[in-house]
Amino acid sequence: MEINLPMPFSYLTETQLTELSLTELKGVGDKVADKLNRLGLESPKDLLFFFPFRYQNRCYLTPFSQLVVESEALVKGHISALPDYTPSRQRFKKTFLCEIQDNENRRLRLRFFNFSSYQIQRYQIGAQVVCYGTISFGPIGLEMHHPEVSFIEDEEDIKLEYRCIYHTTDGLAQSTILKLVHQVLSIFNTSDDMELLPAETVDYLKLSSFKESIQFLHQPQININFSALQDKQSRYHQRLIIEELVANQISVLEKSFSQKNEQASFQISHQENPIQQQFLTQLQFNLTSAQYRVNDEISLDMTQSQPMHRLVQGDVGSGKTIVAAMAILHAIEADFQACLMAPTELLAEQLFQNLSLWFEPLSISVSLLTGKTKGKNRKELLAQIEQGECQVLVGTHAVFQEHVAFAKLGLVVIDEQHRFGVHQRFLLRDKGVNQEQKESCSPHVLVMTATPIPRTLSMTAYADLSCSIIDELPPGRQAIDTVLIPQARREKVIERIYQACQQGKQAYWICTLVEESEVLQCQAAETTFNELHESLKEIKVALVHGQMKATEKLEIMSQFKQGEIQLLIATTVVEVGVDVPNASLMIIENAERLGLSQLHQLRGRVGRGSVKSACVLLYSEKLSEVGKKRLKIMRETQDGFVIAEEDLKLRGPGEILGTRQTGYQKMKIADLMRDQHLIPEAQNIAIKMLKHSPENSKQLMQRWLGDVKQYQNI
Ligand code: ADP
Ligand code: MG
């Protein structure tokens, strides 16, 4: 490999590498820089921290007799057979096939699609080649498709190595990334004092140094065990993993320390509250004791001079909305505004309806702000928010936009937090800092989630929150019968819906797709709607999906709630929060495509009333054994904690923490799930560092999290 030694500068520090433009590197023009940006790389320093996500083991030549289908291998042989067509006819051929033989006279076919005649010029009988690729079964034996081929003269030409493989983007070759990373390594001033972890920690944990670790990850020596490298268990990986976890812990701890100095926007003098009393008497049911307990915990927080930062965990249907409403009433009583955020428009609309219904008799004004609130309405609403006339605002992400300014925001409630990113929470909270009192006070923050979070993970993502649990469902709830049915028996399911609707019951039919594309989802739902509408002529069927107008959706949901619609075909827009107690049958199509927690959320839409409910998980014929096992978990338990644990094992923490959208949890080398066991140690180190070496702490955050200031503002 040729290493480009860049010339005008040599030996730059980490900070200098951050300030240097990518285009200063040899071989990087605007186009390549654009592609690097697309990978999230902004400066040469980012390249240093852009670690290979896997390695290829090119350390030994596998004899053909030991090749294993579907695994990658490095092989050596000579070309023993070539296709018999003449070059002129070649243009019409799509595949180029040639055969190589090893010393034991075993054969392997190399297959290329879309090749140019130039590329195959060098393929001559007898030529020695070394190939790397994945082995597969072909019509007459083992094959390698599109192997990387090098022609060799001499055994010594064979380079045995662990090859780094980086994530990349269209048009950016692995070799380009590799060269650039090597280039940056070669100008990186390794003599600089880069060791930021305390020396005693490095000694005690027997960590390799920062410098050798970073070099090793990009240029691994072949003297270590390959699986240790691949599984990121090498001591060099471990060293960087722990460092990244420490950096994250420092940032979370700092955040929670700075909270201790914050001033709450309001403070209640005693936990009793006349509006709350009035609200409770108008409710048609009593709170569960768990709801009372959590309400007490929230009220107690609000008697403090620092703002509340509380996470309420409660399974689907445990009644978190009422708890939020009670907290909002504290803000209203103190003459402050409250804001309730939902992850989807449909949920925001529904929360808006619920709160309006509850709060109207108490003469409290409730408004709705979503991306669909436009024009004059939006302008008027924004003015009301700014002037404090709007007391309770329910909204979606639109509320995060900069021009929404509150007069006196006292409380922020975030429903279904797992669907939001951590950053968004901070962003919204900062809206409470009002203009005159800048920085001096912050609103109370209440975060609600139906997804239980394992402790080590919450130490990272929610270290700044106290936690309450609603561990009791309202009385009279019955368990939901869950059954797994293959697509082939769809007709039977449709018949079952017919019977249920004849008995006055209501049903959901959920359409799912793997693609994130909302448009495709909606199309699928429309097709299903047409089909069911056709086969269930006597039943009132309607469709709701994310592409419909807000007013249309609202209208259909309210008709469904009033029983005018019997069967609702929906996309996963109804996943969170939707509450129609009379609906007691739920069909989920292609259930195997969804995560377990998502299925649990969907299933939680039924079983809300007093009748026995059922949930049918329709799965495709091709379902694997593992897939079946996963769905069986849904049949066996209705415990959100058990389901979340399983989901975590299967899908990793990004889904659970709801950080997919923001990239916040996208760590450079650590993996919260895999490296959970290191988090407590990382926290200890972080505490020590914050106390004894604040300067290094800051630099460590800078190293792993980028611009610290920017990070803290969002
Ligand atoms: P989630 O925790 O999933 O957000 P909701 O707040 O939507 O649950 O409540 C689910 C349903 O249970 C709603 O219809 C709500 O009115 C009802 N509910 C809440 N608390 C109680 C209670 N203590 N007794 C009876 N029903 C309740
Ligand atoms: Mg809810």
Side-chain angles (χ1 to χ4, degrees):
M1 164 108 8
E2 166 209 1
I3 295 181
N4 293 314
L5 280 175
M7 290 338 44
F9 33 72
S10 51
Y11 301 132
L12 302 183
T13 63
E14 215 173 307
T15 320
Q16 287 168 325
L17 283 177
T18 310
E19 285 156 5
L20 195 69
S21 152
L22 279 170
T23 49
E24 300 278 338
L25 294 175
K26 208 170 153 189
V28 183
D30 289 346
K31 271 200 188 134
V32 175
D34 265 0
K35 288 181 184 142
L36 293 170
N37 289 162
R38 234 180 285 155
L39 292 171
L41 307 174
E42 306 279 340
S43 73
K45 181 230 157 185
D46 293 340
L47 274 161
L48 277 186
F49 288 81
F50 187 58
F51 301 113
F53 75 99
R54 67 181 191 100
Y55 297 88
Q56 289 175 344
N57 189 351
R58 301 183 178 214
C59 266
Y60 62 87
L61 294 164
T62 310
F64 292 4
S65 56
Q66 287 171 29
L67 292 174
V68 178
V69 172
E70 275 175 19
S71 64
E72 296 176 355
L74 186 74
V75 297
K76 189 186 78 148
H78 64 270
I79 297 180
S80 52
L82 283 169
D84 58 359
Y85 45 79
T86 58
S88 62
R89 282 174 52 212
Q90 245 173 51
R91 313 186 259 142
F92 303 106
K93 295 265 179 187
K94 285 246 159 56
T95 349
F96 174 71
L97 259 180
C98 89
E99 198 176 83
I100 58 172
Q101 235 176 46
D102 70 358
N103 296 339
E104 299 165 344
N105 289 338
R106 286 176 194 270
R107 292 163 187 190
L108 176 70
R109 282 181 139 195
L110 310 181
R111 189 183 287 272
F112 300 84
F113 306 97
N114 296 322
F115 54 93
S116 70
S117 42
Y118 171 75
Q119 279 169 331
I120 56 170
Q121 257 173 21
R122 294 186 69 185
Y123 288 75
Q124 303 290 344
I125 298 282
Q128 292 281 333
V129 289
V130 170
C131 311
Y132 186 86
T134 307
I135 304 296
S136 56
F137 267 127
I140 57 161
L142 296 183
E143 297 191 347
M144 241 187 206
H145 294 179
H146 277 286
E148 233 185 275
V149 179
S150 28
F151 288 81
I152 50 163
E153 306 275 310
D154 192 330
E155 286 286 308
E156 308 218 324
D157 293 344
I158 305 174
K159 186 173 181 197
L160 297 179
E161 60 170 349
Y162 290 144
R163 175 77 63 89
C164 299
I165 304 294
Y166 297 88
H167 282 297
T168 184
T169 177
D170 273 356
L172 191 66
Q174 283 294 329
S175 55
T176 311
I177 301 181
L178 204 64
K179 264 188 214 161
L180 291 174
V181 170
H182 286 192
Q183 191 183 144
V184 180
L185 275 175
S186 71
I187 54 171
F188 184 32
N189 184 356
T190 45
S191 63
D192 189 31
D193 187 13
M194 291 171 308
E195 194 54 74
L196 296 176
L197 292 182
E200 65 274 16
T201 302
V202 175
D203 284 350
Y204 174 67
L205 295 176
K206 301 197 172 57
L207 299 178
S208 52
S209 77
F210 173 74
K211 169 184 142 186
E212 56 179 344
S213 305
I214 210 136
Q215 246 161 9
F216 190 90
L217 261 61
H218 293 296
Q219 297 170 320
Q221 304 299 306
I222 59 176
N223 57 5
I224 77 155
N225 183 316
F226 182 70
S227 66
L229 186 68
Q230 194 71 306
D231 301 340
K232 306 200 167 59
Q233 299 299 314
S234 80
R235 56 194 301 255
Y236 308 100
H237 281 91
Q238 291 294 302
R239 160 46 292 157
L240 293 173
I241 287 171
I242 199 124
E243 194 178 305
E244 183 170 32
L245 291 173
V246 171
N248 267 275
Q249 284 298 315
I250 290 174
S251 82
V252 196
L253 286 170
E254 263 219 328
K255 192 89 205 170
S256 62
F257 290 156
S258 71
Q259 280 171 6
K260 298 221 163 64
N261 301 323
E262 284 172 1
Q263 186 69 34
S265 48
F266 71 90
Q267 187 178 356
I268 57 179
S269 49
H270 41 78
Q271 294 184 33
E272 282 71 47
N273 173 330
I275 323 184
Q276 273 194 353
Q277 290 312 319
Q278 215 180 326
F279 170 69
L280 287 177
T281 49
Q282 91 184 14
L283 266 188
Q284 279 151 12
F285 46 76
N286 292 320
L287 297 193
T288 62
S289 51
Q291 285 170 319
Y292 272 122
R293 175 172 35 80
V294 173
N295 181 52
D296 284 347
E297 287 163 359
I298 293 170
S299 305
L300 189 63
D301 282 351
M302 291 189 176
T303 62
Q304 308 296 308
S305 61
Q306 297 122 13
M308 161 172 77
H309 298 282
R310 185 167 289 279
L311 170 71
V312 174
Q313 296 188 34
D315 209 344
V316 181
S318 61
K320 294 183 289 293
T321 322
I322 304 260
V323 170
M326 299 279 281
I328 291 173
L329 292 175
H330 276 310
I332 302 300
E333 171 76 8
D335 203 16
F336 273 80
Q337 292 167 295
C339 166
L340 172 56
M341 293 295 304
T344 67
E345 218 157 87
L346 202 69
L347 180 55
E349 282 153 11
Q350 175 154 343
L351 287 169
F352 167 68
Q353 278 185 339
N354 278 346
L355 290 189
S356 307
L357 212 67
W358 288 336
F359 288 172
E360 208 161 290
L362 307 170
S363 307
I364 298 168
S365 79
V366 184
S367 314
L368 176 69
L369 175 63
T370 70
K372 297 219 168 107
T373 320
K374 297 238 162 79
K376 197 167 139 238
N377 287 347
R378 185 181 183 88
K379 227 169 158 182
E380 274 173 20
L381 180 55
L382 291 180
Q384 284 167 7
I385 298 168
E386 206 161 335
Q387 281 146 26
E389 287 158 28
C390 161
Q391 292 173 286
V392 181
L393 181 68
V394 181
T396 54
H397 299 69
V399 180
F400 294 127
Q401 282 168 15
E402 247 167 60
H403 46 266
V404 184
F406 290 87
K408 270 177 101 179
L409 183 59
L411 170 68
V412 172
V413 183
I414 302 181
D415 198 10
E416 308 294 352
Q417 154 74 28
H418 59 285
R419 301 293 301 276
F420 287 105
V422 177
H423 277 164
Q424 287 170 320
R425 175 155 56 89
F426 293 141
L427 187 69
L428 191 67
R429 194 175 65 200
D430 289 347
K431 285 204 177 292
V433 177
N434 93 17
Q435 291 314 309
E436 300 108 68
Q437 297 164 306
K438 242 193 174 86
E439 305 285 325
S440 64
C441 69
S442 311
H444 296 285
V445 178
L446 184 65
V447 168
M448 309 198 290
T449 181
T451 309
I453 297 137
R455 204 186 74 89
T456 40
L457 290 189
S458 59
M459 273 174 77
T460 299
Y462 297 124
D464 56 329
L465 297 172
S466 334
C467 187
S468 296
I469 299 183
I470 308 185
D471 49 7
E472 184 184 353
L473 291 178
R477 292 281 164 82
Q478 296 191 39
I480 303 164
D481 283 333
T482 301
V483 288
L484 312 185
I485 296 185
Q487 273 288 357
R489 291 180 34 217
R490 197 181 164 97
E491 287 300 319
K492 282 258 171 311
V493 175
I494 298 177
E495 206 176 298
R496 182 165 173 180
I497 297 177
Y498 178 77
Q499 280 159 7
C501 291
Q502 288 296 322
Q503 293 165 16
K505 293 178 183 163
Q506 288 174 280
Y508 292 98
W509 182 294
I510 311 293
C511 304
T512 62
L513 269 189
V514 231
E515 290 86 3
E516 289 283 292
S517 156
E518 206 190 344
V519 179
L520 285 179
Q521 278 218 13
C522 299
Q523 279 171 3
E526 266 164 25
T527 312
T528 309
F529 168 74
N530 291 334
E531 175 206 350
L532 292 176
H533 190 57
E534 197 54 35
S535 48
L536 291 168
K537 288 224 165 66
E538 292 152 59
I539 307 290
K540 276 169 261 152
V541 188
L543 171 69
V544 61
H545 62 58
Q547 299 271 298
M548 286 162 56
K549 281 208 192 94
T551 46
E552 268 179 90
K553 272 192 283 186
L554 212 57
E555 176 61 29
I556 287 178
M557 287 314 293
S558 86
Q559 284 179 10
F560 188 53
K561 203 158 185 163
Q562 283 156 24
E564 291 159 20
I565 291 167
Q566 294 165 286
L567 171 63
L568 186 69
I569 322 288
T571 55
T572 47
V573 289
V574 300
E575 178 184 337
V576 284
V578 169
D579 183 37
V580 179
N582 189 49
S584 60
L585 177 60
M586 161 149 301
I587 322 293
I588 305 176
E589 230 180 319
N590 300 317
E592 73 276 8
R593 291 177 177 175
L594 298 183
L596 296 184
S597 292
Q598 207 181 354
L599 285 174
H600 181 61
Q601 286 276 345
L602 280 168
R603 179 172 61 182
R605 299 310 113 216
V606 294
R608 298 186 154 238
S610 45
V611 284
K612 183 87 180 158
S613 293
C615 175
V616 176
L617 305 179
L618 273 178
Y619 62 90
S620 81
E621 254 54 17
K622 284 176 252 147
L623 189 58
S624 67
E625 279 310 304
V626 182
K628 256 184 217 154
K629 219 179 258 168
R630 290 182 58 219
L631 289 186
K632 278 186 187 149
I633 296 167
M634 294 304 296
R635 195 174 63 195
E636 280 151 20
T637 182
Q638 233 166 291
D639 182 332
F641 278 83
V642 175
I643 291 171
E645 283 288 343
E646 290 298 327
D647 224 14
L648 187 66
K649 276 191 221 148
L650 293 162
R651 302 201 305 160
E655 299 288 326
I656 306 286
L657 297 174
T659 44
R660 268 178 300 181
Q661 302 94 326
T662 62
Y664 163 74
Q665 285 299 332
K666 223 172 162 304
M667 298 204 173
K668 292 181 165 63
I669 179 93
D671 174 327
L672 286 181
M673 186 58 202
R674 183 193 62 212
D675 305 320
Q676 265 190 73
H677 61 286
L678 296 173
I679 296 175
E681 182 69 61
Q683 190 176 66
N684 287 339
I685 302 171
I687 292 170
K688 228 186 284 167
M689 282 186 70
L690 274 169
K691 196 160 162 205
H692 301 296
S693 40
E695 188 47 41
N696 280 9
S697 307
K698 220 159 83 197
Q699 282 184 34
L700 199 70
M701 271 205 283
Q702 184 88 37
R703 174 179 285 174
W704 291 94
L705 300 166
D707 191 353
V708 178
K709 219 160 150 223
Q710 185 194 342
Y711 170 75
Q712 287 188 335
N713 281 340
I714 48 178

